[in-house]
Amino acid sequence: MAINLPNYQQIINECKAVQATLVAVSKIKPVQDIRALYEAGQRDFGENYVQELVEKQGLLPTDIRWHYIGHLQTNKVKFLVPFVHLIHGVDSIKLLKEISKQAMKINRQVDCLLQVFIAREETKFGMDATDLDDLVQAIQQDPEAFRGVHIRGMMGMASNTDDPQQIRTEFRQLVQWATTFLPKIKQTDKKPLLSFGMSGDYKIALEEGSNLIRVGSLLFGARN
């Protein structure tokens, strides 16, 4: 068994202390590893690749809550909407409209997070304040186009840096944008989901208000 159960129990306890949810990032990990963590009590799993997620979903228990955390292309949306629990990485109005369109075809409303750009790295994806303003206006002008989605919160990735203060500052940017823009979008009266923090920075994330952390290598070991 390749999973690290002591790490899992520690992280679960840290999440429970602040009412956060652990998403176990299982991309490119075998089904048996996911099943082992499932048997330890984990139900939320995150995947980055659509085809891999669809295949795993068909092989594993139906009460798993699948989170899509990768960069999503519009032509792949239709494969996820029948079963996905939460799409974390919605980084454009175009993508949000496509998710809504495909969801309405099957009379479903898909929970989504807006991915915002908080890092100092060009390789990261995400919306900025101007994009978020544009989205607010788009929803106000044509709410029907977004009827198939439920914007539950925001997601972001901090810079890959050893400077904890920079990471903390970037996480605070996400919280600030969530406080500013989510009330204007008016799609949720539930507590907003704030998805930030990974294996290297999840402790800082929990301190800064994340309630959804995405952890892989600490649970499943390093990826080759």
Side-chain angles (χ1 to χ4, degrees):
M1 187 171 66
I3 65 169
N4 189 319
L5 282 176
N7 276 359
Y8 173 65
Q9 291 300 335
Q10 177 188 333
I11 297 169
I12 279 290
N13 290 337
E14 290 171 315
C15 285
K16 286 180 179 177
V18 292
Q19 295 184 305
T21 297
L22 167 64
V23 177
V25 179
S26 49
K27 65 178 181 181
I28 72 170
K29 293 298 180 180
V31 165
Q32 58 264 34
D33 286 1
I34 298 173
R35 196 181 299 277
L37 205 57
Y38 174 90
E39 290 172 357
Q42 180 65 16
R43 291 296 179 269
D44 293 271
F45 291 87
E47 291 283 336
N48 285 58
Y49 308 110
V50 173
Q51 183 176 346
E52 182 182 354
L53 173 50
V54 171
E55 290 173 359
K56 287 177 174 177
Q57 184 264 343
L59 296 171
L60 286 156
T62 56
D63 63 335
I64 286 179
R65 294 180 289 269
W66 291 106
H67 298 246
Y68 188 77
I69 61 175
H71 182 60
L72 181 57
Q73 297 172 308
T74 53
N75 63 343
K76 300 287 182 68
V77 167
K78 61 187 176 184
F79 301 111
L80 293 181
V81 292
F83 68 88
V84 72
H85 175 70
L86 181 65
I87 297 176
H88 288 232
V90 180
D91 59 1
S92 71
I93 296 173
K94 178 184 176 184
L95 177 57
L96 195 64
K97 283 184 173 180
E98 181 64 19
I99 296 169
S100 179
K101 174 184 170 184
Q102 296 298 332
M104 285 191 288
K105 286 181 180 179
I106 58 171
N107 197 30
R108 188 169 182 228
Q109 191 177 50
V110 175
D111 284 357
C112 298
L113 303 181
L114 303 176
Q115 182 170 353
V116 294
F117 185 79
I118 56 174
R120 299 179 193 172
E121 297 173 20
E122 292 302 318
T123 55
K124 299 285 198 299
F125 295 95
M127 307 174 84
D128 60 19
T130 301
D131 298 325
L132 293 168
D133 266 328
D134 291 344
L135 175 60
V136 170
Q137 292 181 28
I139 293 173
Q140 290 173 347
Q141 291 168 3
D142 187 12
E144 182 65 19
F146 301 92
R147 190 163 53 83
V149 292
H150 187 198
I151 299 171
R152 292 292 314 280
M154 289 185 178
M155 180 268 249
M157 289 181 282
S159 298
N160 184 14
T161 175
D162 293 327
D163 180 358
Q165 192 53 50
Q166 181 180 336
I167 293 170
R168 202 174 290 276
T169 298
E170 292 170 359
F171 286 159
R172 288 175 181 174
Q173 175 70 77
L174 186 151
V175 174
Q176 180 184 337
W177 278 345
T179 302
T180 301
F181 289 101
L182 291 177
K184 296 179 183 179
I185 292 169
K186 297 177 182 176
Q187 274 213 328
T188 184
D189 52 7
K190 299 179 181 178
K191 182 180 178 180
L193 296 177
L194 303 178
S195 172
F196 59 93
M198 300 187 289
S199 287
D201 55 24
Y202 82 87
K203 290 179 183 287
I204 298 173
L206 292 176
E207 291 171 0
E208 292 300 330
S210 174
N211 53 25
L212 207 56
I213 59 170
R214 311 179 304 273
V215 176
S217 58
L218 290 176
L219 304 176
F220 294 104
R223 293 177 180 84
N224 297 326

